[in-house]
Amino acid sequence: KWKGEGTTQNLESIVIGRCYDYIRIVNPAVGEKNCSQVWEAFKNAFINKDPCNILPKDYELFINLTFHTIPPNKSLFWENNQLLVNSFADRGHRYMSLGDTLFGFVGDFLNWCGQADSPGLDYESCPTTMECENNAVESFWRMASIIYAQHSSGVIQVLLNGSAEGGAYPQPGFFADYEIPNLQKDKISQVVIWVVDDIEGPDMDSCGANSVKTLETRLKTLGFDVTCTDNYKSVMFLLCLD
């Protein structure tokens, strides 16, 4: 038995339903997608397999079937503030974070893994990243992060949590390890960093200091035009509202 929670119940219905929800209501501009095929490609990446031996490339077909362009200037990268990012991006109306793309929307907040013997899905428990790195969920988000970064363009936004323990820019982390290395410099005009503290939370990190300074230096060394703002007003208003 693994330490992580098992596959989300009704996974198939949720994935297919989210796919239709996205192409019909959330973002019909992406055009027609075959949601049954999307489920099959998603499932076949990990079903009936050793749950510790799933690689990002196993999701290639799934990505191909769900792929659509990401509008320029709309990409919103983040660490340690998923719910805030969801409300700020507003399902793609303000920004299009990874969870607002079709491929991210389908998997958001779900859990899944297979097992080497039948039945194919394990509803009892799934491995955590501590138990094994190449698990089904971790590899899914790695692949999705890589594709998202490769296709982001124009001005890109990064929303970081200035109250996060261990710093606003975690290393290792998805942004540090899978997104920054896959940004296409010729397609990106500027990187805008927002460091926002929790309301009444500790001010652990800010522009030009600690881990944010490390991030700024890394991006500038890679040749990006970087700006950074502490406690960006629009996001603070949302936090106050909540």
Side-chain angles (χ1 to χ4, degrees), residues 36-177:
S36 309
Q37 276 187 354
V38 165
W39 160 251
E40 289 297 321
F42 175 74
K43 174 185 74 172
N44 288 334
F46 62 89
I47 199 163
N48 297 119
K49 293 183 187 174
D50 173 354
C52 281
N53 194 21
I54 312 296
L55 299 174
K57 65 175 173 50
D58 293 333
Y59 289 100
E60 259 169 15
L61 178 57
F62 167 81
I63 292 286
N64 291 342
L65 291 172
T66 52
F67 183 77
H68 56 86
T69 55
I70 297 161
N73 312 318
K74 292 282 190 184
S75 291
L76 177 61
F77 295 86
W78 56 273
E79 284 284 5
N80 295 321
N81 49 21
Q82 185 170 11
L83 296 175
L84 175 60
V85 164
N86 283 7
S87 58
F88 185 49
D90 191 25
R91 282 201 160 183
H93 292 123
R94 282 195 206 97
Y95 293 97
M96 187 179 280
S97 70
L98 175 52
D100 304 306
T101 64
L102 173 54
F103 44 95
F105 188 80
V106 163
D108 233 5
F109 299 107
L110 299 179
N111 210 39
W112 63 88
C113 65
Q115 41 196 8
D117 41 21
S118 60
L121 296 172
D122 189 342
Y123 292 101
E124 295 299 306
S125 65
C126 290
T128 62
T129 301
M130 296 297 285
E131 290 177 288
C132 61
E133 234 172 285
N134 291 332
N135 66 61
V137 175
E138 182 83 5
S139 290
F140 174 88
W141 288 113
R142 281 184 196 164
M143 185 66 176
S145 293
I146 289 166
I147 297 297
Y148 179 71
Q150 285 173 345
H151 294 276
S152 292
S153 64
V155 179
I156 65 167
Q157 289 72 215
V158 185
L159 180 55
L160 300 176
N161 183 343
S163 299
E165 281 195 27
Y169 169 58
Q171 292 175 280
F174 276 85
F175 185 53
D177 300 343

Side-chain angles (χ1 to χ4, degrees), residues 133-235:
E133 234 172 285
N134 291 332
N135 66 61
V137 175
E138 182 83 5
S139 290
F140 174 88
W141 288 113
R142 281 184 196 164
M143 185 66 176
S145 293
I146 289 166
I147 297 297
Y148 179 71
Q150 285 173 345
H151 294 276
S152 292
S153 64
V155 179
I156 65 167
Q157 289 72 215
V158 185
L159 180 55
L160 300 176
N161 183 343
S163 299
E165 281 195 27
Y169 169 58
Q171 292 175 280
F174 276 85
F175 185 53
D177 300 343
Y178 299 101
E179 292 170 339
I180 292 176
N182 285 291
L183 294 174
Q184 309 293 301
K185 191 174 157 295
D186 54 334
K187 295 201 299 194
I188 292 168
S189 54
Q190 192 178 36
V191 182
V192 174
I193 302 169
W194 296 315
V195 184
V196 177
D197 299 332
D198 295 338
I199 301 289
E200 296 176 359
D203 176 8
M204 311 275 282
D205 221 337
S206 42
C207 296
N210 304 330
S211 76
V212 182
K213 185 176 187 183
T214 306
L215 171 61
E216 291 174 87
T217 305
R218 179 178 179 187
L219 291 169
K220 284 172 182 166
T221 305
L222 289 168
F224 291 105
D225 175 16
V226 182
T227 66
C228 187
T229 306
D230 283 313
N231 291 323
Y232 178 57
K233 270 246 168 59
S234 302
V235 180

Side-chain angles (χ1 to χ4, degrees), residues 2 32 162 164 166 188 194 241:
W2 301 105
E32 228 12 74
I188 292 168
W194 296 315
L241 189 63

